[in-house]
Amino acid sequence: MKYFQIIIFSIIIFSCIENKKESQSFNINYDKIDHYHLNTETSKIYNGLAHKEKEILNEILYSASPSSINDLTAINIIESQSEKKTIDSKFNSEIVKSVSLHEINQNEEQPITSCEPIYRDILIFRKENKITSIIKICFDCSENQVLGINFDSSKYFFGVNYKKLKKLL
């Protein structure tokens, strides 16, 4: 009877423990963060671009370009067609804290966005002026794309506190 009570007590205790999503730590190696904003409200965004460059700009805005942090053509287009703001270093750690990795819970339904993302905001992390990571952000859809941060995307998703990040930018 004593063992039965211990077993029942253990079951009750363990069933009350909240099943939290596990966070995976990651490291963004940087000493500077640049925020680029592509203003798609103006017709000037495509001015001075050749046909191929316009195609690349559309891929940046609407899909998975740049494909790597070493895609200099895409990076140059981002830099030439965007409003640039170098983040004050006192806010760097707050920006990094607003992004995190979370464990995917296979039993939980994953959120579906109601819009097609337009990645107007791009954070480029640099270390000694070399690009180490890129995060493309669509604040309207709460979507992001990440380059240069390695994690197992079958187990984790990259989460952004969009409200906090938007205030910081």
Side-chain angles (χ1 to χ4, degrees), residues 29-43:
N29 190 15
Y30 70 96
D31 55 20
K32 176 180 167 186
I33 303 172
D34 290 323
H35 171 228
Y36 294 89
H37 178 75
L38 293 158
N39 188 351
T40 57
E41 302 300 318
T42 67
S43 59

Side-chain angles (χ1 to χ4, degrees), residues 21-22 102-108 110 152-157:
K21 289 181 182 178
E22 178 186 326
H102 302 279
E103 185 177 20
I104 294 173
N105 184 342
Q106 300 298 339
N107 298 326
E108 217 175 79
Q110 298 304 314
D152 184 347
S153 61
S154 68
K155 293 182 180 180
Y156 296 92
F157 68 94

Side-chain angles (χ1 to χ4, degrees), residues 44-139:
K44 297 177 184 177
I45 192 166
Y46 293 103
N47 285 356
L49 293 178
H51 179 71
K52 182 66 178 165
E53 292 171 323
K54 289 178 184 178
E55 288 177 358
I56 293 170
L57 180 56
N58 280 332
E59 289 174 11
I60 292 166
L61 286 167
Y62 303 106
S63 65
S65 182
S67 57
S68 83
I69 61 172
N70 299 315
D71 185 346
L72 295 181
T73 303
I75 304 299
N76 289 336
I77 291 172
I78 291 169
E79 290 176 340
S80 69
Q81 300 305 114
S82 304
E83 301 164 10
K84 177 185 175 185
K85 175 182 164 189
T86 298
I87 303 299
D88 187 329
S89 60
K90 68 182 177 185
F91 297 114
N92 284 357
S93 65
E94 289 301 311
I95 287 176
V96 172
K97 286 178 190 175
S98 71
V99 298
S100 57
L101 291 177
H102 302 279
E103 185 177 20
I104 294 173
N105 184 342
Q106 300 298 339
N107 298 326
E108 217 175 79
E109 199 172 303
Q110 298 304 314
I112 299 172
T113 61
S114 60
C115 69
E116 285 292 320
I118 302 173
Y119 299 103
R120 293 180 186 95
D121 292 276
I122 301 168
L123 295 177
I124 298 183
F125 295 81
R126 301 176 194 270
K127 179 75 173 183
E128 297 171 359
N129 288 325
K130 182 178 184 285
I131 296 173
T132 59
S133 307
I134 298 173
I135 303 174
K136 292 175 37 176
I137 301 162
C138 175
F139 285 109

